[in-house]
Amino acid sequence: MSATPPPHAPLAERTVVIIGGSSGIGLEVARRSVAAGASVVLGGRNEDRLAEAARELGPAARWHPVDNTDKQSLAAFFATIDHLDHLFTPAASYRTGPLRELSDEDAESPFVSKFWGQERSWR
């Protein structure tokens, strides 16, 4: 990763917000965004992983905890952001298991996390 992206970098002076940015595809998108000149705001539930990811990414990254299944948590998270150009929401948390053994709440958890979490983020 280049410390200073070229002035014509595709994401130069852009802010990319990534809920689920402390690991997996979210962290990789953060790495590539920083390499392309963006600043990134990482969100997620695990503060230790968020802090570690931000350290790896350097001064172009900052982080705030957020639970994408909780409206108040999302509101508090977005209150820390003055401006965003791009929003990426790969975060998900849900319970799995044999369908016959899942409670209604467990069976609904992927929908709550993936659909409502994303819908509430862009709202």
Side-chain angles (χ1 to χ4, degrees), residues 2-123:
S2 171
T4 305
H8 62 279
L11 292 176
E13 300 182 23
R14 303 281 188 210
T15 300
V16 179
V17 174
I18 305 168
I19 298 176
S22 66
S23 64
I25 193 168
L27 179 54
E28 186 59 27
V29 168
R31 288 177 182 128
R32 291 175 185 229
S33 296
V34 168
S39 63
V40 296
V41 181
L42 306 175
R45 292 172 314 202
N46 187 313
E47 293 185 34
D48 292 336
R49 285 197 329 219
L50 287 165
E52 182 179 326
R55 275 192 298 277
E56 174 193 329
L57 296 167
R62 60 189 176 99
W63 65 272
H64 299 280
V66 64
D67 177 349
N68 76 341
T69 66
D70 181 282
K71 289 179 186 179
Q72 291 178 339
S73 179
L74 282 163
F77 174 76
F78 282 104
T80 69
I81 300 168
D82 295 328
H83 171 81
L84 68 89
D85 296 292
H86 303 281
L87 173 63
F88 182 53
T89 59
S93 63
Y94 49 87
R95 293 167 294 282
T96 62
L99 288 176
R100 292 180 186 187
E101 296 174 16
L102 291 177
S103 67
D104 287 349
E105 182 180 312
D106 289 345
E108 292 169 354
S109 65
F111 191 74
V112 170
S113 179
K114 290 304 287 180
F115 178 80
W116 288 116
Q118 292 179 12
E119 189 271 345
R120 291 174 181 151
S121 294
W122 58 259
R123 247 179 211 261

